[in-house]
Amino acid sequence: AQSVTQLDSQVPVFEEAPVELRCNYSSSVSVYLFWYVQYPNQGLQLLLKYLSGSTLVKGINGFEAEFNKSQTSFHLRKPSVHISDTAEYFCAYYSSASKIIFGSGTRLSIRP
Amino acid sequence: DVKVTQSSRYLVKRTGEKVFLECVQDMDHENMFWYRQDPGLGLRLIYFSYDVKMKEKGDIPEGYSVSREKKERFSLILESASTNQTSMYLCASSPDTWLYFGPGTRLTVL
């Protein structure tokens, strides 16, 4: 079965520290992968997407993600986080059945 | 910029009421979706639509129906609201494989 697994439900980090949010997927076919961000009391916003081409994808707000086919991973990274990055982050996968499958989310909390 | 709007940010209804949640997008997208979001359960797909008057069930369609009479509008209907339908409801539209979300409607059923 196709699925997306976010390995950490919560990630606390200090301001200006680097962060990595982990995402693994399972699929036997071509993949399209996404990261979305949800700020408190808002809808989700597309952070970045991998459709094809370069495995390193850059998104908004200084985030980037790397597609690793051999490890079936799509981890999200930022070299230095800011208080405003406090949010919930969702990894998602586009399936051939034309439905988008979401991971369970990772809550990123930034400590000053 | 793509804009997806939802008719209400907050809504309080009573058990048994019929509830309409409206969603409008302004980018001529063919694909539209309704999700509900609950703590610990993530996002779950209720219904989606690939064209006017077309609809398909998602993972949790029970207790819900939808209407897509015009391309830009996708309505979610709770025929008889129940307390277990208290949730955040998110509408989204899609040009291809990614989604643009509305701000969400937090529905409380008393």
Side-chain angles (χ1 to χ4, degrees), chain B residues 10-54:
Chain B
Y10 300 93
L11 207 54
V12 180
K13 295 292 181 180
R14 297 207 173 272
T15 302
E17 280 192 79
K18 190 169 186 176
V19 182
F20 293 87
L21 302 183
E22 305 285 341
C23 175
V24 177
Q25 51 99 358
D26 66 356
M27 283 301 292
D28 205 37
H29 292 164
E30 293 185 346
N31 310 319
M32 295 188 75
F33 303 78
W34 275 105
Y35 290 87
R36 65 176 283 178
Q37 184 179 21
D38 300 286
L41 297 176
L43 276 78
R44 292 181 290 169
L45 181 63
I46 305 172
Y47 268 97
F48 58 106
S49 168
Y50 289 123
D51 203 348
V52 175
K53 296 192 185 295
M54 291 185 67

Side-chain angles (χ1 to χ4, degrees), chain A residues 87-103:
Chain A
E88 189 158 18
Y89 292 81
F90 292 90
C91 183
Y93 163 89
Y94 177 79
S95 75
S96 56
S98 298
K99 287 190 298 180
I100 298 170
I101 300 170
F102 284 89

Side-chain angles (χ1 to χ4, degrees), chain A residues 32 34 36 38 41-46 49 51 88 90 94 97-105, chain B residues 9-10 33 35 37 42-43 45 48 50 58-59 88 90 94 96-99 101-104 106:
Chain A
Y32 302 107
F34 310 88
Y36 290 83
Q38 185 179 31
N41 296 316
Q42 295 185 27
L44 280 72
Q45 176 184 358
L46 183 65
K49 59 184 181 288
L51 304 180
E88 189 158 18
F90 292 90
Y94 177 79
S98 298
K99 287 190 298 180
I100 298 170
I101 300 170
F102 284 89
S104 54
Chain B
R9 291 299 306 273
Y10 300 93
F33 303 78
Y35 290 87
Q37 184 179 21
L43 276 78
L45 181 63
F48 58 106
Y50 289 123
D59 301 316
M88 169 71 94
L90 295 166
S94 174
D96 191 340
T97 56
W98 60 93
L99 299 170
F101 282 88
R106 189 168 293 281

Side-chain angles (χ1 to χ4, degrees), chain A residues 22-42:
Chain A
R22 297 180 292 168
C23 173
N24 285 88
Y25 66 92
S26 64
S27 172
S28 58
V29 298
S30 297
V31 297
Y32 302 107
L33 292 158
F34 310 88
W35 277 98
Y36 290 83
V37 59
Q38 185 179 31
Y39 299 105
N41 296 316
Q42 295 185 27

Side-chain angles (χ1 to χ4, degrees), chain B residues 18-21 34-38 44-48 55-67 75-90 107 109:
Chain B
K18 190 169 186 176
V19 182
F20 293 87
L21 302 183
W34 275 105
Y35 290 87
R36 65 176 283 178
Q37 184 179 21
D38 300 286
R44 292 181 290 169
L45 181 63
I46 305 172
Y47 268 97
F48 58 106
K55 60 186 179 184
E56 291 197 39
K57 293 180 180 179
D59 301 316
I60 53 163
E62 296 79 19
Y64 303 94
S65 61
V66 291
S67 172
S75 303
L76 180 69
I77 304 155
L78 287 65
E79 296 291 341
S80 177
S82 62
T83 54
N84 63 11
Q85 292 179 309
T86 291
S87 185
M88 169 71 94
Y89 289 88
L90 295 166
L107 173 67
V109 183

Side-chain angles (χ1 to χ4, degrees), chain A residues 47-111:
Chain A
L47 201 55
L48 49 79
K49 59 184 181 288
Y50 171 77
L51 304 180
S52 64
S54 173
T55 57
L56 184 64
V57 181
K58 293 190 184 298
I60 61 173
N61 302 338
F63 283 92
E64 63 181 32
E66 186 157 18
F67 170 58
N68 188 318
K69 189 174 182 179
S70 63
Q71 297 186 9
T72 61
S73 68
F74 191 55
H75 300 334
L76 181 70
R77 301 185 183 100
K78 186 170 182 177
S80 176
V81 295
H82 188 265
I83 290 284
S84 60
D85 294 322
T86 298
E88 189 158 18
Y89 292 81
F90 292 90
C91 183
Y93 163 89
Y94 177 79
S95 75
S96 56
S98 298
K99 287 190 298 180
I100 298 170
I101 300 170
F102 284 89
S104 54
T106 297
R107 197 172 295 276
L108 177 63
S109 58
I110 312 296
R111 300 169 176 173

